[in-house]
């Protein structure tokens, strides 16, 4: 399984990574229930899966690098929960993180972290993003509709993930 280092702006990392901004580690169903029941559910949450396989959750407006405590991750994105058949379940989950730019192939790490805490989840990302760094201008891009062209300089983007 690939792991991902932070690829966003250094000034954001320097500004937001502090002990009080790290995401809440969710190691069990009890951890999850305690955390999620104390929050509003009108929008998704920021998540990362650490190299230890532990899901970490933070409010949506949190930077992924802050949620991860500045560390490398196995997955990152946004996640929403709801009650289905009387139990908490993932209703939406994606890999949208321009700080880590994880591949859609990061799904197994996310699924394993959710299974470990007993939260039902879909069979894959409900919102899947493909990221590429432009070899011409260095900009991070979201590839839309299979169009591998840089949004800034219109250079061709590589077919393979290219952030490290």
């Amino acid at each position: 399984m690939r792991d991902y280092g932070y690829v966003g702006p250094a000034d954001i990392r320097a500004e937001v990574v502090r002990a009080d901004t790290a995401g809440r580690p969710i190691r069990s169903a009890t951890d999850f229930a305690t955390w999620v029941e104390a929050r509003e559910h009108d929008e998704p949450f920021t998540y990362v899966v650490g190299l230890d396989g532990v899901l970490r959750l933070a409010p949506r407006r949190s930077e992924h690098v802050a949620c991860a405590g500045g560390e490398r991750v196995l997955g990152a994105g946004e996640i929403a929960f709801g009650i289905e058949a009387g139990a908490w379940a993932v209703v939406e989950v994606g890999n949208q993180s321009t700080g880590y730019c994880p591949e859609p192939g990061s799904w197994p790490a996310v699924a394993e972290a959710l299974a470990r805490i007993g939260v039902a989840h879909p069979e894959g990302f409900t919102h899947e993003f493909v990221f590429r760094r432009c070899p011409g201008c260095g900009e991070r891009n979201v590839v839309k509709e299979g169009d591998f062209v840089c949004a800034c300089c219109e250079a061709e983007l590589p077919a393979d993930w290219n952030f490290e």
Side-chain angles (χ1 to χ4, degrees):
M1 210 174 292
R2 173 174 284 181
D3 61 288
Y4 302 89
Y6 179 69
V7 298
D11 59 329
I12 290 178
R13 180 184 186 141
E15 181 180 323
V16 302
V17 176
R18 300 182 313 271
D20 65 331
T21 61
R24 170 74 182 266
I26 308 294
R27 292 184 174 90
S28 68
T30 301
D31 285 351
F32 175 73
T34 301
W35 191 87
V36 77
E37 289 171 7
R39 282 160 179 72
E40 297 289 327
H41 302 104
D42 56 345
E43 65 182 19
F45 300 104
T46 293
Y47 80 86
V48 298
V49 176
L51 296 183
D52 56 3
V54 173
L55 179 70
R56 289 169 176 77
L57 296 171
R60 183 181 199 186
R61 308 254 179 312
S62 302
E63 292 287 341
H64 289 96
V65 69
C67 185
E71 300 295 323
R72 297 180 71 81
V73 300
L74 298 175
E78 292 187 346
I79 192 166
F81 302 99
I83 301 290
E84 292 184 356
W88 285 106
V90 173
V91 295
E92 291 183 359
V93 60
N95 64 318
Q96 184 178 6
S97 168
T98 57
Y100 285 99
C101 299
E103 296 175 281
S106 63
W107 171 251
V110 177
E112 287 175 23
L114 292 165
R116 188 175 301 114
I117 62 171
V119 175
H121 54 79
E123 293 184 18
F125 288 123
T126 57
H127 305 287
E128 192 172 270
F129 294 83
V130 173
F131 299 97
R132 295 294 184 269
R133 182 178 301 279
C134 178
C137 69
E139 186 65 36
R140 292 167 291 156
N141 284 264
V142 175
V143 175
K144 295 180 181 176
E145 300 175 5
D147 190 13
F148 285 77
V149 175
C150 179
C152 291
C153 73
E154 299 186 4
E156 185 173 328
L157 298 172
D160 295 325
W161 189 84
N162 65 331
F163 285 91
E164 294 182 304

